[in-house]
C-alpha cells in the first residue's frame, strides 16, 4: 500500500518532528523545578498553548481515524457529535466547569482531578477511587489510541513488517518527553501537534470538497448513492434503521441507539469529566486566559472534528466511483481492513496522482502521528500522577497520620514508565477497529461515576461526602454491569458474560443490548446524589471551599 508515498520525504519530516518534540521535552525538563511544575506547570502556558493542548488531547486519533471511519459508515448524523464536542466539550466545560475548577483548585492547592475531588469532600476514599479508576481504565483508552495510530501508519506505508519497531519507537518518544518534561513538555508538544493536525485536516477537507464539486453537490451525490441501494444495508456495516448517509437513522432503531447513545451522547457528555482535560483548566493563570483559550479551542475543534466527520461520509462517493460501486465499508472489507482504515486509505488514493500529492500524504501521516501521541502523552502524564502523586499521597498520609501531598517527581516518572510498558502490552491484546469504542467506554464510565459528584462539588455550598460516595458507587456499578453483561458493543473489552454464561451478553436481542450504559448509569448516579443530598441535608458541612 506504499503507492503514492514517498518514504524518504515522510522519513525526513518525521525525523524533524521527533527532534522538535524532544527539544520541547528538554524545554519542559529545564522549566520543571519541583513537583508542582511537573503536575500543573501553572503560569507557564499561554492561552494559545492551553487551547491547542486541550484540543489535541481531546480529539486524538479517535476523531481523525476512529470517528472519521465511523462517520463514513453511519453518515452525517455524527455531525451532532461535532456539536456536542463544541457545546459540551468546550462551552460548558470551560464556562460551567473550568473557571470554578481553576479557582477552587488553586484555593485548595489541588494539582489533579482526584486531588481536587478529594480535598473538596475531605475524602481520601474519593481521591483513591478516582486515582484507581484512572489507573484501571485509562491504559485501555491509551492502548486503543496508540494501536489505532500505529496500525494505520504501518499499513499505509507498507511497513507492516516493522510494526513492532513503529510501536516501540512512538512509545519511547512519548515516554521520554513525558517522563522528563512533565506537563510543560506535554502541553507545548500538544500545541505543536495540534497545529500540524489543523493544517492537515483543513487541506484534506478542501481537496475532498473539490473532488465532490462542493458541499451541496457532495451531499446530493450521497443521496443518489443511497437511492441506488434502494434501502439495502447489507454490506454497509450498519444496523437496521439506517436511512442513508445524509439522514438521521430511524428513531429507536438499533442503528439510532448505536449512533446516538454510544457515539454522540457517550463521547459528547463524557468529555466533561476527563481528568487529563481538567488539569488544563487548573494550569491557567486566570479566568481571562480560559476565555481566550475557549475561543481559540473552538476554532481548532470545529475545523478538525468538522473536517473528519464531513470527509468520512464523502469517502463513499470516491470509493464507489473508483472501485466498482463499492461503498467505504465494503471496500475496506474487500481489502481485509476495518473502519479505522477508511480515512487513511481515502487520503492515500485521492492524493496519489495529484501534484505534490506525496507532500500532502506525508503531512496526513504526520497528522496521524500527532493525533495519536498528543492524547497518549496527556493520558500517560495523568496515569503517572494518579499513582505517584494521588495514591502515594493518600498512602503517606495514612501511614504518618499527617495531611501531606507527595513531592516526589521521580515517583511520578516511575509510574509513567511502568504503565507505558503496560499500554504497549495491551496493544498486542486488543482487537482492531476499537478506537471509537474505547473512547466511548472510558469517557462513559468516568462521566457515570464522577460527573454528578464533580458538578455538585463545584456548586454546592455544603458538598456532602455521603451523597458523592453514593452517586459514585451507583454510577460505576451500573455502568460496568451494563457494559460487561448487557451491551453487545462494549462487552468485547472483557468477555466476562461469555466466560460465565457462554453468551456474549445476557439479552442479545433486546433493546438494551444496543443502549450505551451511560444513558442509564448517569441519570441513576445523578438521582442518587440528589436523593442523598436531600435526605442528609442536615449533615455537617464537609468543606468550606465553594463560597468563592
Amino acid at each position: 500500500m506504499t503507492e503514492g508515498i514517498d518514504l524518504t520525504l515522510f522519513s525526513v519530516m518525521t525525523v524533524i518532528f521527533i527532534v522538535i518534540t524532544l527539544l520541547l521535552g528538554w524545554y519542559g525538563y529545564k522549566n520543571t523545578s519541583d513537583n508542582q511544575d511537573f503536575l500543573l506547570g501553572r503560569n507557564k502556558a499561554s492561552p494559545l498553548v492551553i487551547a491547542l493542548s486541550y484540543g489535541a488531547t481531546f480529539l486524538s486519533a479517535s476523531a481523525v481515524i476512529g470517528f472519521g471511519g465511523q462517520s463514513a459508515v453511519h453518515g452525517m448524523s455524527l455531525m451532532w457529535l461535532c456539536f456536542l464536542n463544541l457545546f459540551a466539550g468546550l462551552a460548558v466545560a470551560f464556562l460551567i466547569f473550568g473557571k470554578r475548577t481553576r479557582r477552587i483548585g488553586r484555593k485548595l492547592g489541588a494539582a489533579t482531578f482526584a486531588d481536587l475531588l478529594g480535598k473538596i469532600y475531605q475524602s481520601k476514599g474519593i481521591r483513591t477511587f478516582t486515582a484507581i479508576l484512572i489507573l484501571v481504565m485509562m491504559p485501555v483508552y491509551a492502548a486503543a489510541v496508540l494501536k489505532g495510530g500505529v496500525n494505520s501508519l504501518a499499513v499505509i506505508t507498507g511497513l507492516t513488517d516493522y510494526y513492532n519497531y513503529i510501536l516501540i519507537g512512538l512509545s519511547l518518544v512519548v515516554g521520554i518527553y513525558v517522563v522528563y518534561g512533565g506537563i510543560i513538555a506535554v502541553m507545548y508538544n500538544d500545541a505543536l501537534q495540534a497545529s500540524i493536525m489543523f493544517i492537515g485536516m483543513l487541506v484534506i477537507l478542501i481537496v475532498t470538497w473539490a473532488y465532490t464539486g462542493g458541499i451541496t453537490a457532495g451531499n446530493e451525490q450521497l443521496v443518489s448513492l443511497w437511492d441506488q441501494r434502494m434501502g439495502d444495508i447489507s454490506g454497509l456495516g450498519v444496523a437496521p434503521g439506517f436511512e442513508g448517509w445524509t439522514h438521521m437513522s430511524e428513531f429507536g432503531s438499533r442503528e439510532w441507539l448505536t449512533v446516538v447513545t454510544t457515539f454522540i451522547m457517550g463521547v459528547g457528555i463524557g468529555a466533561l469529566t476527563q481528568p487529563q482535560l481538567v488539569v488544563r483548566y487548573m494550569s491557567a493563570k486566570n479566568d481571562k486566559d480560559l476565555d481566550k483559550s475557549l475561543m481559540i479551542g473552538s476554532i481548532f475543534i470545529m475545523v478538525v472534528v468538522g473536517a473528519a466527520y464531513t470527509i468520512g461520509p464523502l469517502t463513499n462517493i470516491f470509493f464507489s466511483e473508483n472501485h466498482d460501486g463499492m461503498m467505504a465499508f465494503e471496500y475496506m472489507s474487500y481489502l481485509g481492513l476495518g473502519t479505522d482504515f477508511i480515512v487513511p486509505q481515502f487520503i492515500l488514493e485521492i492524493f496519489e496522482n495529484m501534484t505534490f500529492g506525496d507532500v500532502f500524504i506525508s503531512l496526513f501521516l504526520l497528522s496521524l502521528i500527532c493525533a495519536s501521541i498528543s492524547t497518549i502523552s496527556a493520558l500517560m502524564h495523568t496515569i503517572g500522577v494518579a499513582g505517584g502523586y494521588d495514591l502515594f499521597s493518600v498512602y503517606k498520609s495514612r501511614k504518618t497520620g499527617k495531611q501531606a501531598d507527595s513531592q516526589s517527581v521521580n515517583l511520578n516518572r516511575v509510574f509513567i514508565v511502568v504503565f507505558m510498558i503496560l499500554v504497549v502490552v495491551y496493544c498486542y491484546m486488543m482487537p482492531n477497529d476499537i478506537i471509537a469504542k474505547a473512547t466511548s467506554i472510558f469517557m462513559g464510565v468516568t462521566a457515570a461515576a464522577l460527573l454528578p459528584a464533580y458538578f455538585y462539588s463545584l456548586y454546592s455550598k455544603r458538598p456532602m461526602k455521603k451523597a458523592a460516595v453514593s452517586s459514585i458507587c451507583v454510577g460505576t456499578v451500573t455502568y460496568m454491569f451494563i457494559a460487561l453483561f448487557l451491551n453487545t458493543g462494549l462487552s468485547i473489552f472483557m468477555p466476562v458474560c461469555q466466560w460465565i454464561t457462554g453468551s456474549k451478553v445476557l439479552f442479545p436481542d433486546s433493546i438494551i443490548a444496543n443502549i450505551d450504559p451511560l444513558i442509564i448509569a448517569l441519570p441513576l448516579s445523578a438521582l442518587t446524589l440528589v436523593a442523598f443530598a436531600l435526605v442528609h441535608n442536615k449533615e455537617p458541612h464537609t468543606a468550606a471551599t465553594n463560597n468563592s
Side-chain angles (χ1 to χ4, degrees):
M1 198 182 287
T2 58
E3 296 87 352
I5 299 177
D6 187 332
L7 290 178
T8 301
L9 174 63
F10 174 62
S11 298
V12 171
M13 292 174 66
T14 303
V15 169
I16 295 173
F17 168 74
I18 291 175
V19 169
I20 296 175
T21 296
L22 295 177
L23 286 174
L24 289 174
W26 177 81
Y27 173 81
Y29 174 76
K30 296 296 290 185
N31 285 274
T32 300
S33 56
D34 55 31
N35 203 39
Q36 286 300 306
D37 285 339
F38 189 90
L39 296 171
L40 281 180
R42 186 176 282 147
N43 300 332
K44 295 186 178 180
S46 67
L48 176 63
V49 171
I50 292 173
L52 293 179
S53 176
Y54 184 95
T57 300
F58 183 15
L59 299 182
S60 80
S62 65
V64 178
I65 58 177
F67 284 99
Q70 293 296 339
S71 68
V73 176
H74 300 285
M76 291 185 176
S77 56
L78 261 70
M79 287 299 291
W80 282 104
L81 178 54
C82 180
F83 168 76
L84 273 182
N85 288 154
L86 288 167
F87 178 70
L90 274 174
V92 172
F94 274 76
L95 298 177
I96 305 299
F97 289 87
K99 293 182 178 181
R100 292 190 70 85
T101 296
R102 190 199 66 79
R103 294 176 203 157
I104 296 172
R106 178 163 293 195
K107 184 176 181 180
L108 293 175
T112 68
F113 185 38
D115 190 17
L116 176 73
L117 293 180
K119 286 178 176 174
I120 289 177
Y121 289 109
Q122 295 181 0
S123 170
K124 295 184 180 70
I126 290 177
R127 184 176 183 181
T128 300
F129 170 83
T130 305
I132 291 175
L133 183 65
I134 291 169
L135 292 174
V136 172
M137 298 302 298
M138 193 174 277
V140 177
Y141 176 29
V145 173
L146 179 59
K147 181 183 180 71
V150 172
N151 278 355
S152 297
L153 187 62
V155 172
I156 293 173
T157 57
L159 300 175
T160 51
D161 291 341
Y162 297 91
Y163 175 89
N164 294 333
Y165 297 103
I166 297 173
L167 177 63
I168 300 300
L170 286 182
S171 303
L172 283 175
V173 171
V174 172
I176 290 170
Y177 79 75
V178 176
V179 165
Y180 286 101
I183 193 65
I184 298 173
V186 171
M187 292 181 70
Y188 274 84
N189 267 301
D190 283 349
L192 167 68
Q193 293 151 11
S195 302
I196 296 173
M197 290 167 60
F198 184 89
I199 296 171
M201 294 307 295
L202 187 60
V203 169
I204 294 164
L205 177 62
I206 293 172
V207 170
T208 302
W209 275 337
Y211 179 85
T212 61
I215 301 173
T216 302
N219 290 351
E220 290 175 349
Q221 290 178 69
L222 284 176
V223 172
S224 177
L225 285 178
W226 176 244
D227 290 342
Q228 293 172 27
R229 301 287 301 206
M230 301 182 67
D232 180 15
I233 64 172
S234 59
L236 295 182
V238 296
F242 180 74
E243 295 186 339
W245 296 281
T246 58
H247 291 81
M248 178 63 75
S249 49
E250 181 185 350
F251 179 79
S253 64
R254 285 178 55 194
E255 176 69 11
W256 186 90
L257 290 171
T258 299
V259 171
V260 174
T261 68
T262 299
F263 294 143
I264 297 177
M265 301 299 293
V267 176
I269 296 175
L272 295 172
T273 49
Q274 293 304 285
Q276 70 276 17
L277 299 180
V278 171
V279 173
R280 270 58 182 174
Y281 315 142
M282 299 167 71
S283 66
K285 297 178 186 177
N286 49 52
D287 288 352
K288 289 184 178 179
D289 278 5
L290 284 180
D291 290 335
K292 294 176 183 176
S293 297
L294 172 59
M295 290 186 289
I296 298 169
S298 297
I299 297 171
F300 172 78
I301 289 182
M302 183 169 60
V303 169
V304 175
V305 173
Y309 300 168
T310 300
I311 292 166
L314 296 177
T315 61
N316 289 287
I317 299 171
F318 178 86
F319 290 130
S320 66
E321 292 180 353
N322 292 276
H323 298 287
D324 301 321
M326 287 189 285
M327 302 300 132
F329 186 83
E330 291 171 319
Y331 183 53
M332 288 303 106
S333 300
Y334 169 75
L335 295 178
L337 302 173
T339 55
D340 287 349
F341 291 96
I342 291 176
V343 173
Q345 181 67 24
F346 167 71
I347 302 306
L348 184 68
E349 294 190 17
I350 197 170
F351 283 110
E352 187 173 5
N353 297 315
M354 190 177 296
T355 304
F356 299 115
D358 52 351
V359 175
F360 292 122
I361 291 174
S362 296
L363 178 62
F364 170 72
L365 291 176
L366 196 58
S367 299
L368 190 61
I369 295 175
C370 293
S372 296
I373 68 176
S374 59
T375 295
I376 296 166
S377 62
L379 298 179
M380 294 315 304
H381 178 269
T382 303
I383 291 169
V385 300
Y389 179 71
D390 288 311
L391 285 187
F392 188 72
S393 293
V394 172
Y395 167 77
K396 185 178 178 181
S397 63
R398 289 189 184 278
K399 185 176 181 180
T400 62
K402 299 178 181 180
Q403 298 295 328
D405 291 319
S406 170
Q407 298 303 318
S408 174
V409 175
N410 288 333
L411 189 58
N412 298 330
R413 289 169 171 162
V414 168
F415 269 88
I416 292 172
V417 171
V418 171
F419 276 85
M420 189 77 245
I421 295 172
L422 181 62
V423 165
V424 172
V425 172
Y426 278 175
C427 285
Y428 290 101
M429 300 170 60
M430 300 179 75
N432 293 322
D433 300 323
I434 207 168
I435 297 179
K437 289 182 180 179
T439 303
S440 177
I441 194 171
F442 178 70
M443 291 190 175
V445 71
T446 54
L450 301 173
L451 182 55
Y454 179 30
F455 179 83
Y456 177 59
S457 74
L458 297 179
Y459 285 93
S460 173
K461 293 182 178 180
R462 302 180 64 249
M464 290 176 282
K465 183 170 70 175
K466 286 183 180 179
V469 169
S470 301
S471 171
I472 290 170
C473 290
V474 169
T476 304
V477 172
T478 302
Y479 188 96
M480 294 309 298
F481 176 78
I482 296 173
L484 295 176
F485 290 93
L486 301 178
N487 186 277
T488 54
L490 301 182
S491 60
I492 61 172
F493 281 90
M494 190 177 294
V496 176
C497 186
Q498 189 162 12
W499 296 340
I500 296 174
T501 67
S503 176
K504 290 183 179 180
V505 293
L506 294 179
F507 309 107
D509 298 322
S510 65
I511 293 178
I512 199 171
N514 298 286
I515 296 178
D516 191 85
L518 181 66
I519 304 303
I520 299 173
L522 180 58
L524 287 179
S525 177
L527 288 173
T528 301
L529 187 145
V530 171
F532 267 80
L534 291 175
V535 170
H536 298 281
N537 60 0
K538 295 183 179 181
E539 180 180 303
H541 185 36
T542 59
T545 63
N546 298 353
N547 296 320
S548 58

